[in-house]
Amino acid sequence: FSFVSVNQILLLLLVLTVCAILYNKVHQAPSALKNETVDLESPEEMEEEIPVVICAAAGRMGAAVAAISSIYSNTEANVLFYIVGLKTAIPHIRKWIENSKLKEIKFKAVEFNPMVLRGKIRQDASRPELLQPLNFVRFYLPLLIQKHEKVIYLDDDIIVQGDIQELYDTKLAPGHAAAFSDDCDLPSTHEMVRSVGMQNTYMGFLDYRKQAIRDLGISPSTCSFNPGVIIANMTEWKHQRITKQLEKWMQRNVEENLYSSTLGGGVATPPMLIVFHGKHSTINPMWHIRHLGWSPDTRYSEHFLQEAKLLHWNGRYKPWDYPSVHTELWENWFIPDPSGKFKLTRADS
């Protein structure tokens, strides 16, 4: 009798164990699946880091701070700022960030060595500020940024009013190493361009009297683009040896003066116009409203500027100096220098 009872008990226990296993399988499947989807999502979230490169030049560090502040305040995205400066300026910008409300941002301070430019820049006395080494950081993105496939580069004289995620999501066509804003793409800026006598074609940047420029076969009336806002694909950039191509044109300019004294007034733009001609994607024009620094009294309509996602004070008249226009939009994002070294210049100062 006891033998039969033990068998029955064991059988009962076996049945109960099987039932328990089946019950668990049925009832816990959803939570197991839920855990799996969380695991699946986490690598994706890690990839969603948005690298943004901004230069911090010694005399205009407040510009970089305002740009960073505007980006950080207008997005929920996981932004990693690469703040590029010369060796002497890095401690100042680091201190400024760490002692202000920007201490929450993720950033890397990257030192740019100007020795890479030796022999590649032709001296141009008309606008010496355009020869600053940091103007050429955009040529060397793969050397500064190691682990990212896609990178945003921004000039320091900008503020961002939209969500930087939207700019980052700009699609680049297959085989394109970069996307820019075309200078002819936004009818509302054409009046501004005409009124300040600005150039928006290749004619304004390259010297078509020179044989090397004519040999390119690019029509002088081709629309130019502005490399103050760039979305770059690092794989394509390296594959096409973009940096080497840009350096080649810098060296040719030193020898033949192909562009530095012409109307465009910049020495970083012409090599890019040459290298990327017909081989770049385009950025939504509202993500690069420019020329705010071209005239101290030509203004855009307030409504238009409210709609804009990114404002760029390219030109001589910067919003931290006097005179300039639409300074109130820029000052919204400015954070005073805790060390007191950088001060705004205003009419009453």
Side-chain angles (χ1 to χ4, degrees):
F1 167 76
S2 62
F3 179 69
V4 173
S5 299
V6 168
N7 271 353
Q8 282 175 330
I9 289 164
L10 285 173
L11 187 62
L12 184 64
L13 284 172
L14 184 64
V15 169
L16 286 171
T17 305
V18 170
C19 287
I21 289 167
L22 286 171
Y23 178 86
N24 277 345
K25 273 211 178 335
V26 170
H27 288 272
Q28 289 186 359
S31 72
L33 281 173
K34 203 159 65 197
N35 286 345
E36 270 174 41
T37 55
V38 167
D39 290 340
L40 283 172
E41 272 171 20
S42 52
E44 217 169 84
E45 277 167 24
M46 281 159 57
E47 277 167 29
E48 269 307 297
E49 194 169 66
I50 298 179
V52 175
V53 178
I54 292 183
C55 296
R60 44 197 278 168
M61 222 164 265
V65 167
I68 291 164
S69 161
S70 70
I71 294 163
Y72 180 64
S73 304
N74 286 308
T75 189
E76 295 294 315
N78 179 16
V79 180
L80 172 60
F81 292 97
Y82 283 85
I83 302 169
V84 186
L86 302 184
K87 191 175 189 172
T88 49
I90 292 219
H92 184 189
I93 191 81
R94 191 183 280 284
K95 200 179 252 180
W96 196 332
I97 286 168
E98 288 167 357
N99 290 293
S100 73
K101 64 179 185 185
L102 290 179
K103 61 180 177 286
E104 305 297 324
I105 71 167
K106 282 167 59 183
F107 78 99
K108 287 184 181 176
V110 181
E111 184 187 331
F112 183 66
N113 184 351
M115 292 307 287
V116 298
L117 301 170
R118 180 174 268 183
K120 299 186 186 83
I121 303 177
R122 184 186 183 88
Q123 294 309 308
D124 186 352
S126 64
R127 289 195 62 192
E129 75 276 12
L130 295 169
L131 304 176
Q132 295 299 329
L134 295 179
N135 277 336
F136 302 92
V137 160
R138 68 197 99 191
F139 290 16
Y140 296 95
L141 292 174
L143 299 181
L144 300 165
I145 313 298
Q146 302 300 330
K147 60 173 188 161
H148 301 281
E149 167 74 5
K150 194 178 189 184
V151 171
I152 296 174
Y153 167 87
L154 299 174
D155 275 354
D156 61 356
D157 50 358
I158 63 111
I159 57 154
V160 171
Q161 302 186 131
D163 183 344
I164 199 79
Q165 178 80 51
E166 198 182 307
L167 182 62
Y168 185 74
D169 290 340
T170 300
K171 294 273 185 286
L172 272 68
H176 284 178
F180 307 96
S181 292
D182 282 322
D183 283 332
C184 313
D185 60 8
L186 202 59
S188 34
T189 64
H190 294 176
E191 192 50 51
M192 174 78 125
V193 169
R194 276 195 296 275
S195 68
V196 294
M198 259 196 38
Q199 299 299 318
N200 62 0
T201 64
Y202 274 55
M203 182 81 176
F205 293 88
L206 305 178
D207 189 346
Y208 276 84
R209 292 169 302 183
K210 301 285 164 72
Q211 192 58 46
I213 296 301
R214 291 203 299 273
D215 287 348
L216 290 167
I218 301 171
S219 162
S221 62
T222 303
C223 188
S224 52
F225 57 78
N226 183 302
V229 177
I230 308 172
I231 318 288
N233 177 316
M234 294 291 93
T235 306
E236 282 296 337
W237 194 289
K238 288 184 266 199
H239 174 66
Q240 295 177 35
R241 298 168 65 88
I242 297 290
T243 299
K244 282 272 169 267
Q245 291 187 58
L246 292 165
E247 287 186 325
K248 181 190 92 172
W249 284 102
M250 288 169 83
Q251 264 154 342
R252 286 197 70 173
N253 182 57
V254 170
E255 293 152 18
E256 303 170 53
N257 194 16
L258 301 176
Y259 51 76
S260 53
S261 61
T262 47
L263 297 162
V267 286
T269 300
M272 298 198 95
L273 291 178
I274 295 169
V275 170
F276 286 102
H277 173 253
K279 288 188 292 196
H280 69 273
S281 297
T282 53
I283 291 170
N284 174 342
M286 293 309 280
W287 267 102
H288 194 176
I289 301 304
R290 40 213 182 279
H291 320 319
L292 277 78
W294 270 81
S295 159
D297 41 35
T298 308
R299 301 174 70 91
Y300 284 115
S301 83
E302 294 304 320
H303 173 70
F304 176 65
L305 293 179
Q306 297 298 317
E307 300 288 304
K309 308 277 191 173
L310 182 149
L311 304 176
H312 188 184
W313 278 262
N314 57 315
R316 290 171 192 261
Y317 302 98
K318 303 300 186 191
W320 54 90
D321 275 337
Y322 179 83
S324 73
V325 293
H326 304 298
T327 49
E328 67 293 341
L329 289 171
W330 182 86
E331 268 191 67
N332 280 342
W333 305 109
F334 175 67
I335 297 167
D337 182 359
S339 75
K341 285 184 207 163
F342 181 95
K343 294 184 175 69
L344 301 183
T345 310
R346 293 294 177 251
D348 49 8
S349 62

